[in-house]
Amino acid sequence: AHVYLRRKRGMNSLEEYPIDAGVLEDCAQLVKHNSIKGRKLPAVHVSYTMWSNLKKTNGMEAGQVGFNSHKQVLKTHVERNREVLRRLLKTMEERY
């Protein structure tokens, strides 16, 4: 599962402009919930990076992505938090 977080222009570095801990937790909860394997587990590690570090090649399956540089990939540990997930799903808005 993937979550894309749009940041302000110029915020091109996770080291210089880290993601707020609460926002990161919300995004990680959504990734865990929408992952076929992850939603069944009590806890998972979620990788995150800047969009410019994402790579897609012809041999990859639908929805699969890779990274240009694994040094620019950070990870966070997320445990199932039903309260956060309930709040996120309750306020979810789909746009087409």
Side-chain angles (χ1 to χ4, degrees):
H2 310 289
V3 170
Y4 294 94
L5 175 64
R6 180 172 282 179
R7 303 181 78 195
K8 291 182 182 176
R9 235 173 238 260
M11 297 178 92
N12 299 328
S13 166
L14 290 172
E15 292 79 23
E16 237 182 299
Y17 305 101
I19 298 172
D20 176 77
V23 173
L24 183 58
E25 170 72 15
D26 287 355
C27 291
Q29 287 292 333
L30 288 172
V31 168
K32 182 183 176 331
H33 176 72
N34 289 302
S35 169
I36 294 169
K37 294 178 184 177
R39 78 180 318 162
K40 297 174 186 173
L41 301 172
V44 296
H45 283 89
V46 173
S47 301
Y48 62 102
T49 190
M50 297 299 290
W51 72 268
S52 57
N53 191 37
L54 295 177
K55 170 176 75 173
K56 179 79 173 173
T57 59
N58 290 338
M60 293 181 169
E61 293 183 28
Q64 185 180 11
V65 294
F67 307 109
N68 291 312
S69 170
H70 287 278
K71 291 180 181 179
Q72 296 179 18
V73 178
L74 302 173
K75 292 186 179 190
T76 186
H77 180 81
V78 61
E79 296 181 8
R80 183 180 298 126
N81 186 328
R82 287 187 173 92
E83 289 178 25
V84 170
L85 195 55
R86 217 172 296 139
R87 174 180 53 81
L88 293 170
L89 295 175
K90 185 177 179 181
T91 60
M92 183 173 66
E93 180 181 323
E94 292 186 43
R95 297 180 187 179
Y96 300 95

